[in-house]
Amino acid sequence: MKIGVVGKGGVGKTTLSALLARSLQERGRRVLAVDTDSNPNLGLSLGLDSAQTEALPTVPRSIVVGSRGDLTVAELMADYAAPTPTGVTVMSALRVNEAAAGCTCGGHATVRSLLGEALESETDDTIVDMEAGIEHLSRSGGTLAHADVLVLVMEASLKAVITARRTILLAQELGIDRWIGVGNKISDEQRDLLAELCDGHDVPLDVVVPASDAIVAADRIGRPLYRADAGDVWQAVESLTSRLVHAGQQPALQ
Ligand SMILES: Nc1ncnc2c1ncn2[C@@H]1O[C@H](COP(=O)(O)OP(=O)(O)O)[C@@H](O)[C@H]1O
Ligand SMILES: [Mg+2]
């Protein structure tokens, strides 16, 4: 599966990308997690320390991936993907290494060409942790144009839900026909509000990940969430994973 994790800034895309990657990996799948944030942190959430995260190689911009392109998928993975202690492989695709280096469109085009390839020989699931917002669904013909399914991450706010709605409309234009709505950081009191907002904006609310002090504490020191501390967060992530696996087996979810 090629999974795009999308949503407004700060809703928990990176946190959920890492948890989802670990959950799929624990089911015996080979998982590649692609960080497309120009300020990449996914490595930390997958158990690399800060020095290792800083040392991750960045995929060169504007290369075309594929047997007729600049690098095959296997070459790209060999040169630019790194193992993490969680068992998930991570790739930093859009890091901005120097000031005034220009826009990141070329990096988005590279990710687009990667997702356009058959990746089965190298990985079972590719999770793309997207930069905030919705530009990646329009830029360079759509970074996520070849995604099979989008995970729409939302906190309990109108802006987050509207962002998800806009994402669905752009996804439909790109021909992506599956998405899963995920509430994140949701307290018990916020559940009804989020459900109402989603209902009012025609956004599905399939999974709700609770607000978790353990996530905040782990994030503060740049560590992955330990399973033992995760409690109901892990149950929600497992439910998301099951839905994704199910979606991957269905012709179309929505
Ligand atoms: N379920 C959760 N409960 C509490 N805090 C969370 C949860 N998920 C994410 N966070 C916190 O929200 C902040 C933003 O998360 P992050 O994953 O970096 O968001 P994004 O990638 O969407 O910008 C981080 O400080 C993170 O610890
Ligand atoms: Mg992020």
PDB file of all heavy atoms in Angstrom, residues 7-17 19 37 41 45 129-130 132 153 155 183-186 209-220 233, ligand 1:
ATOM      1  N   GLY A   7      -2.825  16.501   6.477  1.00  0.00           N
ATOM      2  CA  GLY A   7      -3.644  17.295   7.401  1.00  0.00           C
ATOM      3  C   GLY A   7      -2.998  18.628   7.719  1.00  0.00           C
ATOM      4  O   GLY A   7      -1.853  18.905   7.328  1.00  0.00           O
ATOM      5  N   LYS A   8      -3.750  19.401   8.459  1.00  0.00           N
ATOM      6  CA  LYS A   8      -3.301  20.722   8.886  1.00  0.00           C
ATOM      7  C   LYS A   8      -2.044  20.604   9.748  1.00  0.00           C
ATOM      8  O   LYS A   8      -1.800  19.545  10.340  1.00  0.00           O
ATOM      9  CB  LYS A   8      -4.440  21.338   9.719  1.00  0.00           C
ATOM     10  CG  LYS A   8      -4.384  22.818   9.914  1.00  0.00           C
ATOM     11  CD  LYS A   8      -5.591  23.274  10.725  1.00  0.00           C
ATOM     12  CE  LYS A   8      -5.336  23.246  12.220  1.00  0.00           C
ATOM     13  NZ  LYS A   8      -4.190  24.025  12.688  1.00  0.00           N
ATOM     14  N   GLY A   9      -1.284  21.664   9.851  1.00  0.00           N
ATOM     15  CA  GLY A   9      -0.072  21.658  10.668  1.00  0.00           C
ATOM     16  C   GLY A   9      -0.354  21.303  12.116  1.00  0.00           C
ATOM     17  O   GLY A   9      -1.341  21.770  12.692  1.00  0.00           O
ATOM     18  N   GLY A  10       0.471  20.456  12.685  1.00  0.00           N
ATOM     19  CA  GLY A  10       0.411  20.190  14.114  1.00  0.00           C
ATOM     20  C   GLY A  10      -0.663  19.211  14.559  1.00  0.00           C
ATOM     21  O   GLY A  10      -0.826  18.958  15.753  1.00  0.00           O
ATOM     22  N   VAL A  11      -1.395  18.624  13.629  1.00  0.00           N
ATOM     23  CA  VAL A  11      -2.488  17.725  14.032  1.00  0.00           C
ATOM     24  C   VAL A  11      -1.987  16.349  14.478  1.00  0.00           C
ATOM     25  O   VAL A  11      -2.721  15.579  15.093  1.00  0.00           O
ATOM     26  CB  VAL A  11      -3.548  17.542  12.915  1.00  0.00           C
ATOM     27  CG1 VAL A  11      -4.305  18.835  12.666  1.00  0.00           C
ATOM     28  CG2 VAL A  11      -2.924  17.020  11.629  1.00  0.00           C
ATOM     29  N   GLY A  12      -0.730  16.027  14.117  1.00  0.00           N
ATOM     30  CA  GLY A  12      -0.173  14.737  14.543  1.00  0.00           C
ATOM     31  C   GLY A  12       0.198  13.809  13.393  1.00  0.00           C
ATOM     32  O   GLY A  12       0.285  12.592  13.580  1.00  0.00           O
ATOM     33  N   LYS A  13       0.452  14.370  12.218  1.00  0.00           N
ATOM     34  CA  LYS A  13       0.788  13.535  11.054  1.00  0.00           C
ATOM     35  C   LYS A  13       2.047  12.710  11.295  1.00  0.00           C
ATOM     36  O   LYS A  13       2.083  11.519  11.020  1.00  0.00           O
ATOM     37  CB  LYS A  13       0.998  14.411   9.799  1.00  0.00           C
ATOM     38  CG  LYS A  13      -0.226  15.153   9.348  1.00  0.00           C
ATOM     39  CD  LYS A  13       0.060  16.080   8.170  1.00  0.00           C
ATOM     40  CE  LYS A  13       1.017  17.203   8.498  1.00  0.00           C
ATOM     41  NZ  LYS A  13       0.519  18.151   9.501  1.00  0.00           N
ATOM     42  N   THR A  14       3.100  13.369  11.809  1.00  0.00           N
ATOM     43  CA  THR A  14       4.368  12.664  12.008  1.00  0.00           C
ATOM     44  C   THR A  14       4.218  11.602  13.100  1.00  0.00           C
ATOM     45  O   THR A  14       4.680  10.471  12.952  1.00  0.00           O
ATOM     46  CB  THR A  14       5.477  13.674  12.359  1.00  0.00           C
ATOM     47  OG1 THR A  14       5.612  14.576  11.246  1.00  0.00           O
ATOM     48  CG2 THR A  14       6.802  12.987  12.608  1.00  0.00           C
ATOM     49  N   THR A  15       3.561  11.973  14.179  1.00  0.00           N
ATOM     50  CA  THR A  15       3.335  11.024  15.272  1.00  0.00           C
ATOM     51  C   THR A  15       2.583   9.796  14.766  1.00  0.00           C
ATOM     52  O   THR A  15       2.984   8.651  15.005  1.00  0.00           O
ATOM     53  CB  THR A  15       2.497  11.702  16.387  1.00  0.00           C
ATOM     54  OG1 THR A  15       3.159  12.917  16.776  1.00  0.00           O
ATOM     55  CG2 THR A  15       2.323  10.801  17.582  1.00  0.00           C
ATOM     56  N   LEU A  16       1.496  10.030  14.036  1.00  0.00           N
ATOM     57  CA  LEU A  16       0.689   8.895  13.564  1.00  0.00           C
ATOM     58  C   LEU A  16       1.388   8.123  12.457  1.00  0.00           C
ATOM     59  O   LEU A  16       1.248   6.892  12.380  1.00  0.00           O
ATOM     60  CB  LEU A  16      -0.687   9.373  13.095  1.00  0.00           C
ATOM     61  CG  LEU A  16      -1.641   9.820  14.198  1.00  0.00           C
ATOM     62  CD1 LEU A  16      -3.024  10.120  13.628  1.00  0.00           C
ATOM     63  CD2 LEU A  16      -1.762   8.767  15.307  1.00  0.00           C
ATOM     64  N   SER A  17       2.153   8.804  11.611  1.00  0.00           N
ATOM     65  CA  SER A  17       2.910   8.082  10.563  1.00  0.00           C
ATOM     66  C   SER A  17       3.829   7.058  11.212  1.00  0.00           C
ATOM     67  O   SER A  17       3.935   5.913  10.757  1.00  0.00           O
ATOM     68  CB  SER A  17       3.756   9.053   9.726  1.00  0.00           C
ATOM     69  OG  SER A  17       2.945   9.921   8.986  1.00  0.00           O
ATOM     70  N   LEU A  19       3.632   5.736  14.298  1.00  0.00           N
ATOM     71  CA  LEU A  19       2.893   4.667  14.994  1.00  0.00           C
ATOM     72  C   LEU A  19       2.296   3.679  13.991  1.00  0.00           C
ATOM     73  O   LEU A  19       2.345   2.465  14.187  1.00  0.00           O
ATOM     74  CB  LEU A  19       1.798   5.271  15.879  1.00  0.00           C
ATOM     75  CG  LEU A  19       2.302   6.061  17.084  1.00  0.00           C
ATOM     76  CD1 LEU A  19       1.144   6.779  17.777  1.00  0.00           C
ATOM     77  CD2 LEU A  19       3.014   5.135  18.077  1.00  0.00           C
ATOM     78  N   ASP A  37       8.765  16.320   5.061  1.00  0.00           N
ATOM     79  CA  ASP A  37       8.827  17.634   5.695  1.00  0.00           C
ATOM     80  C   ASP A  37      10.192  18.238   5.405  1.00  0.00           C
ATOM     81  O   ASP A  37      11.208  17.552   5.501  1.00  0.00           O
ATOM     82  CB  ASP A  37       8.611  17.486   7.209  1.00  0.00           C
ATOM     83  CG  ASP A  37       8.050  18.763   7.806  1.00  0.00           C
ATOM     84  OD1 ASP A  37       8.580  19.846   7.463  1.00  0.00           O
ATOM     85  OD2 ASP A  37       7.113  18.687   8.606  1.00  0.00           O
ATOM     86  N   ASN A  41      11.512  15.232  11.034  1.00  0.00           N
ATOM     87  CA  ASN A  41      11.598  14.714  12.401  1.00  0.00           C
ATOM     88  C   ASN A  41      11.134  13.272  12.517  1.00  0.00           C
ATOM     89  O   ASN A  41      11.134  12.711  13.611  1.00  0.00           O
ATOM     90  CB  ASN A  41      10.720  15.557  13.334  1.00  0.00           C
ATOM     91  CG  ASN A  41      11.336  16.905  13.585  1.00  0.00           C
ATOM     92  OD1 ASN A  41      12.537  17.010  13.793  1.00  0.00           O
ATOM     93  ND2 ASN A  41      10.525  17.943  13.538  1.00  0.00           N
ATOM     94  N   SER A  45      10.901   9.954  15.693  1.00  0.00           N
ATOM     95  CA  SER A  45       9.716   9.198  16.116  1.00  0.00           C
ATOM     96  C   SER A  45       9.852   7.710  15.816  1.00  0.00           C
ATOM     97  O   SER A  45       9.054   6.907  16.276  1.00  0.00           O
ATOM     98  CB  SER A  45       8.465   9.737  15.421  1.00  0.00           C
ATOM     99  OG  SER A  45       8.260  11.082  15.763  1.00  0.00           O
ATOM    100  N   ASP A 129       4.742  10.746   5.117  1.00  0.00           N
ATOM    101  CA  ASP A 129       4.391  11.756   6.123  1.00  0.00           C
ATOM    102  C   ASP A 129       4.517  13.112   5.440  1.00  0.00           C
ATOM    103  O   ASP A 129       5.611  13.593   5.184  1.00  0.00           O
ATOM    104  CB  ASP A 129       5.376  11.633   7.304  1.00  0.00           C
ATOM    105  CG  ASP A 129       5.216  12.742   8.319  1.00  0.00           C
ATOM    106  OD1 ASP A 129       4.158  13.393   8.359  1.00  0.00           O
ATOM    107  OD2 ASP A 129       6.180  12.952   9.099  1.00  0.00           O
ATOM    108  N   MET A 130       3.363  13.715   5.131  1.00  0.00           N
ATOM    109  CA  MET A 130       3.391  14.926   4.305  1.00  0.00           C
ATOM    110  C   MET A 130       3.610  16.184   5.131  1.00  0.00           C
ATOM    111  O   MET A 130       3.227  16.255   6.290  1.00  0.00           O
ATOM    112  CB  MET A 130       2.067  15.076   3.551  1.00  0.00           C
ATOM    113  CG  MET A 130       1.862  14.096   2.418  1.00  0.00           C
ATOM    114  SD  MET A 130       3.175  14.040   1.174  1.00  0.00           S
ATOM    115  CE  MET A 130       3.226  15.728   0.593  1.00  0.00           C
ATOM    116  N   ALA A 132       2.608  19.940   6.092  1.00  0.00           N
ATOM    117  CA  ALA A 132       1.257  20.428   6.375  1.00  0.00           C
ATOM    118  C   ALA A 132       0.595  21.015   5.134  1.00  0.00           C
ATOM    119  O   ALA A 132       1.272  21.470   4.213  1.00  0.00           O
ATOM    120  CB  ALA A 132       1.318  21.491   7.468  1.00  0.00           C
ATOM    121  N   VAL A 153      -5.692  13.349   8.869  1.00  0.00           N
ATOM    122  CA  VAL A 153      -5.557  13.523  10.314  1.00  0.00           C
ATOM    123  C   VAL A 153      -6.186  14.860  10.720  1.00  0.00           C
ATOM    124  O   VAL A 153      -5.933  15.888  10.088  1.00  0.00           O
ATOM    125  CB  VAL A 153      -4.071  13.481  10.752  1.00  0.00           C
ATOM    126  CG1 VAL A 153      -3.967  13.513  12.273  1.00  0.00           C
ATOM    127  CG2 VAL A 153      -3.371  12.250  10.191  1.00  0.00           C
ATOM    128  N   GLU A 155      -7.442  17.323  14.254  1.00  0.00           N
ATOM    129  CA  GLU A 155      -7.742  17.527  15.662  1.00  0.00           C
ATOM    130  C   GLU A 155      -9.177  18.054  15.718  1.00  0.00           C
ATOM    131  O   GLU A 155      -9.812  18.223  14.683  1.00  0.00           O
ATOM    132  CB  GLU A 155      -6.717  18.468  16.316  1.00  0.00           C
ATOM    133  CG  GLU A 155      -6.476  19.729  15.556  1.00  0.00           C
ATOM    134  CD  GLU A 155      -5.259  20.510  16.043  1.00  0.00           C
ATOM    135  OE1 GLU A 155      -4.424  19.979  16.795  1.00  0.00           O
ATOM    136  OE2 GLU A 155      -5.145  21.668  15.638  1.00  0.00           O
ATOM    137  N   GLY A 183      -9.397  11.226  13.797  1.00  0.00           N
ATOM    138  CA  GLY A 183      -9.290  12.271  14.804  1.00  0.00           C
ATOM    139  C   GLY A 183      -8.076  11.972  15.676  1.00  0.00           C
ATOM    140  O   GLY A 183      -7.826  10.819  16.018  1.00  0.00           O
ATOM    141  N   ASN A 184      -7.305  12.998  16.009  1.00  0.00           N
ATOM    142  CA  ASN A 184      -6.129  12.770  16.867  1.00  0.00           C
ATOM    143  C   ASN A 184      -6.069  13.821  17.959  1.00  0.00           C
ATOM    144  O   ASN A 184      -6.513  14.950  17.761  1.00  0.00           O
ATOM    145  CB  ASN A 184      -4.847  12.806  16.028  1.00  0.00           C
ATOM    146  CG  ASN A 184      -3.623  12.488  16.874  1.00  0.00           C
ATOM    147  OD1 ASN A 184      -3.668  11.607  17.738  1.00  0.00           O
ATOM    148  ND2 ASN A 184      -2.531  13.207  16.653  1.00  0.00           N
ATOM    149  N   LYS A 185      -5.531  13.443  19.099  1.00  0.00           N
ATOM    150  CA  LYS A 185      -5.439  14.323  20.279  1.00  0.00           C
ATOM    151  C   LYS A 185      -6.833  14.649  20.782  1.00  0.00           C
ATOM    152  O   LYS A 185      -7.104  15.798  21.145  1.00  0.00           O
ATOM    153  CB  LYS A 185      -4.749  15.655  19.956  1.00  0.00           C
ATOM    154  CG  LYS A 185      -3.377  15.595  19.400  1.00  0.00           C
ATOM    155  CD  LYS A 185      -2.774  16.995  19.507  1.00  0.00           C
ATOM    156  CE  LYS A 185      -2.053  17.374  18.255  1.00  0.00           C
ATOM    157  NZ  LYS A 185      -1.384  18.649  18.325  1.00  0.00           N
ATOM    158  N   ILE A 186      -7.740  13.709  20.767  1.00  0.00           N
ATOM    159  CA  ILE A 186      -9.139  13.989  21.072  1.00  0.00           C
ATOM    160  C   ILE A 186      -9.447  13.599  22.522  1.00  0.00           C
ATOM    161  O   ILE A 186      -9.347  12.424  22.900  1.00  0.00           O
ATOM    162  CB  ILE A 186     -10.075  13.208  20.109  1.00  0.00           C
ATOM    163  CG1 ILE A 186      -9.660  13.424  18.638  1.00  0.00           C
ATOM    164  CG2 ILE A 186     -11.527  13.609  20.337  1.00  0.00           C
ATOM    165  CD1 ILE A 186      -9.686  14.845  18.160  1.00  0.00           C
ATOM    166  N   VAL A 209      -8.062   8.789  17.796  1.00  0.00           N
ATOM    167  CA  VAL A 209      -6.891   8.548  18.642  1.00  0.00           C
ATOM    168  C   VAL A 209      -6.970   9.527  19.814  1.00  0.00           C
ATOM    169  O   VAL A 209      -7.058  10.744  19.605  1.00  0.00           O
ATOM    170  CB  VAL A 209      -5.571   8.771  17.862  1.00  0.00           C
ATOM    171  CG1 VAL A 209      -4.366   8.489  18.739  1.00  0.00           C
ATOM    172  CG2 VAL A 209      -5.548   7.912  16.598  1.00  0.00           C
ATOM    173  N   PRO A 210      -6.970   9.033  21.030  1.00  0.00           N
ATOM    174  CA  PRO A 210      -7.159   9.928  22.171  1.00  0.00           C
ATOM    175  C   PRO A 210      -5.964  10.855  22.418  1.00  0.00           C
ATOM    176  O   PRO A 210      -4.843  10.562  21.978  1.00  0.00           O
ATOM    177  CB  PRO A 210      -7.333   8.959  23.349  1.00  0.00           C
ATOM    178  CG  PRO A 210      -6.790   7.656  22.895  1.00  0.00           C
ATOM    179  CD  PRO A 210      -6.872   7.616  21.403  1.00  0.00           C
ATOM    180  N   ALA A 211      -6.228  11.937  23.094  1.00  0.00           N
ATOM    181  CA  ALA A 211      -5.141  12.795  23.581  1.00  0.00           C
ATOM    182  C   ALA A 211      -4.338  11.981  24.591  1.00  0.00           C
ATOM    183  O   ALA A 211      -4.904  11.273  25.413  1.00  0.00           O
ATOM    184  CB  ALA A 211      -5.730  14.032  24.238  1.00  0.00           C
ATOM    185  N   SER A 212      -3.027  12.067  24.501  1.00  0.00           N
ATOM    186  CA  SER A 212      -2.192  11.189  25.316  1.00  0.00           C
ATOM    187  C   SER A 212      -1.012  11.933  25.921  1.00  0.00           C
ATOM    188  O   SER A 212      -0.182  12.502  25.190  1.00  0.00           O
ATOM    189  CB  SER A 212      -1.683  10.045  24.416  1.00  0.00           C
ATOM    190  OG  SER A 212      -0.499   9.492  24.922  1.00  0.00           O
ATOM    191  N   ASP A 213      -0.945  11.923  27.244  1.00  0.00           N
ATOM    192  CA  ASP A 213       0.210  12.534  27.916  1.00  0.00           C
ATOM    193  C   ASP A 213       1.489  11.777  27.571  1.00  0.00           C
ATOM    194  O   ASP A 213       2.571  12.363  27.528  1.00  0.00           O
ATOM    195  CB  ASP A 213       0.009  12.512  29.431  1.00  0.00           C
ATOM    196  CG  ASP A 213      -1.097  13.466  29.852  1.00  0.00           C
ATOM    197  OD1 ASP A 213      -1.426  14.372  29.053  1.00  0.00           O
ATOM    198  OD2 ASP A 213      -1.644  13.287  30.955  1.00  0.00           O
ATOM    199  N   ALA A 214       1.366  10.482  27.329  1.00  0.00           N
ATOM    200  CA  ALA A 214       2.556   9.680  27.021  1.00  0.00           C
ATOM    201  C   ALA A 214       3.178  10.114  25.689  1.00  0.00           C
ATOM    202  O   ALA A 214       4.404  10.144  25.543  1.00  0.00           O
ATOM    203  CB  ALA A 214       2.191   8.195  26.976  1.00  0.00           C
ATOM    204  N   ILE A 215       2.329  10.479  24.724  1.00  0.00           N
ATOM    205  CA  ILE A 215       2.858  10.965  23.440  1.00  0.00           C
ATOM    206  C   ILE A 215       3.590  12.288  23.654  1.00  0.00           C
ATOM    207  O   ILE A 215       4.691  12.497  23.154  1.00  0.00           O
ATOM    208  CB  ILE A 215       1.721  11.146  22.403  1.00  0.00           C
ATOM    209  CG1 ILE A 215       1.213   9.765  21.955  1.00  0.00           C
ATOM    210  CG2 ILE A 215       2.194  11.970  21.208  1.00  0.00           C
ATOM    211  CD1 ILE A 215       0.162   9.802  20.870  1.00  0.00           C
ATOM    212  N   VAL A 216       2.977  13.162  24.430  1.00  0.00           N
ATOM    213  CA  VAL A 216       3.594  14.472  24.687  1.00  0.00           C
ATOM    214  C   VAL A 216       4.945  14.282  25.380  1.00  0.00           C
ATOM    215  O   VAL A 216       5.956  14.892  24.996  1.00  0.00           O
ATOM    216  CB  VAL A 216       2.661  15.346  25.551  1.00  0.00           C
ATOM    217  CG1 VAL A 216       3.344  16.656  25.929  1.00  0.00           C
ATOM    218  CG2 VAL A 216       1.353  15.621  24.812  1.00  0.00           C
ATOM    219  N   ALA A 217       4.973  13.392  26.367  1.00  0.00           N
ATOM    220  CA  ALA A 217       6.214  13.174  27.120  1.00  0.00           C
ATOM    221  C   ALA A 217       7.294  12.574  26.224  1.00  0.00           C
ATOM    222  O   ALA A 217       8.462  12.987  26.265  1.00  0.00           O
ATOM    223  CB  ALA A 217       5.937  12.247  28.307  1.00  0.00           C
ATOM    224  N   ALA A 218       6.916  11.617  25.380  1.00  0.00           N
ATOM    225  CA  ALA A 218       7.893  10.987  24.478  1.00  0.00           C
ATOM    226  C   ALA A 218       8.424  12.019  23.487  1.00  0.00           C
ATOM    227  O   ALA A 218       9.625  12.085  23.207  1.00  0.00           O
ATOM    228  CB  ALA A 218       7.247   9.818  23.737  1.00  0.00           C
ATOM    229  N   ASP A 219       7.508  12.852  22.985  1.00  0.00           N
ATOM    230  CA  ASP A 219       7.894  13.850  21.999  1.00  0.00           C
ATOM    231  C   ASP A 219       8.842  14.885  22.591  1.00  0.00           C
ATOM    232  O   ASP A 219       9.747  15.386  21.919  1.00  0.00           O
ATOM    233  CB  ASP A 219       6.629  14.542  21.490  1.00  0.00           C
ATOM    234  CG  ASP A 219       6.707  14.804  20.002  1.00  0.00           C
ATOM    235  OD1 ASP A 219       7.238  13.927  19.295  1.00  0.00           O
ATOM    236  OD2 ASP A 219       6.251  15.870  19.566  1.00  0.00           O
ATOM    237  N   ARG A 220       8.615  15.203  23.854  1.00  0.00           N
ATOM    238  CA  ARG A 220       9.435  16.222  24.503  1.00  0.00           C
ATOM    239  C   ARG A 220      10.913  15.837  24.483  1.00  0.00           C
ATOM    240  O   ARG A 220      11.788  16.676  24.324  1.00  0.00           O
ATOM    241  CB  ARG A 220       8.946  16.402  25.942  1.00  0.00           C
ATOM    242  CG  ARG A 220       9.146  17.775  26.469  1.00  0.00           C
ATOM    243  CD  ARG A 220       8.355  18.013  27.733  1.00  0.00           C
ATOM    244  NE  ARG A 220       7.059  18.620  27.492  1.00  0.00           N
ATOM    245  CZ  ARG A 220       5.950  18.314  28.148  1.00  0.00           C
ATOM    246  NH1 ARG A 220       5.963  17.408  29.083  1.00  0.00           N
ATOM    247  NH2 ARG A 220       4.838  18.929  27.870  1.00  0.00           N
ATOM    248  N   VAL A 233      -4.050   4.570  22.930  1.00  0.00           N
ATOM    249  CA  VAL A 233      -3.521   5.095  21.669  1.00  0.00           C
ATOM    250  C   VAL A 233      -3.189   3.931  20.733  1.00  0.00           C
ATOM    251  O   VAL A 233      -3.517   3.932  19.550  1.00  0.00           O
ATOM    252  CB  VAL A 233      -2.252   5.943  21.905  1.00  0.00           C
ATOM    253  CG1 VAL A 233      -1.518   6.225  20.599  1.00  0.00           C
ATOM    254  CG2 VAL A 233      -2.603   7.245  22.599  1.00  0.00           C
TER     255      VAL A 233
HETATM  256  N1  LIG B   1      -2.578  11.759  20.401  1.00  0.00           N
HETATM  257  C1  LIG B   1      -1.847  12.800  20.845  1.00  0.00           C
HETATM  258  N2  LIG B   1      -2.018  13.250  22.116  1.00  0.00           N
HETATM  259  C2  LIG B   1      -1.317  14.316  22.569  1.00  0.00           C
HETATM  260  N3  LIG B   1      -0.408  14.990  21.843  1.00  0.00           N
HETATM  261  C3  LIG B   1      -0.202  14.600  20.589  1.00  0.00           C
HETATM  262  C4  LIG B   1      -0.890  13.483  20.016  1.00  0.00           C
HETATM  263  N4  LIG B   1      -0.459  13.316  18.735  1.00  0.00           N
HETATM  264  C5  LIG B   1       0.464  14.285  18.528  1.00  0.00           C
HETATM  265  N5  LIG B   1       0.619  15.052  19.626  1.00  0.00           N
HETATM  266  C6  LIG B   1       1.511  16.213  19.788  1.00  0.00           C
HETATM  267  O1  LIG B   1       1.156  17.207  18.853  1.00  0.00           O
HETATM  268  C7  LIG B   1       2.305  17.884  18.386  1.00  0.00           C
HETATM  269  C8  LIG B   1       2.309  17.858  16.866  1.00  0.00           C
HETATM  270  O2  LIG B   1       2.475  16.511  16.444  1.00  0.00           O
HETATM  271  P1  LIG B   1       3.172  16.156  15.066  1.00  0.00           P
HETATM  272  O3  LIG B   1       3.038  14.699  14.886  1.00  0.00           O
HETATM  273  O4  LIG B   1       4.531  16.757  14.999  1.00  0.00           O
HETATM  274  O5  LIG B   1       2.191  16.926  14.054  1.00  0.00           O
HETATM  275  P2  LIG B   1       2.366  17.249  12.505  1.00  0.00           P
HETATM  276  O6  LIG B   1       3.322  16.266  11.931  1.00  0.00           O
HETATM  277  O7  LIG B   1       0.981  17.103  11.952  1.00  0.00           O
HETATM  278  O8  LIG B   1       2.832  18.659  12.412  1.00  0.00           O
HETATM  279  C9  LIG B   1       3.506  17.198  18.993  1.00  0.00           C
HETATM  280  O9  LIG B   1       3.945  17.969  20.088  1.00  0.00           O
HETATM  281  C10 LIG B   1       2.951  15.869  19.469  1.00  0.00           C
HETATM  282  O10 LIG B   1       3.613  15.387  20.616  1.00  0.00           O
END
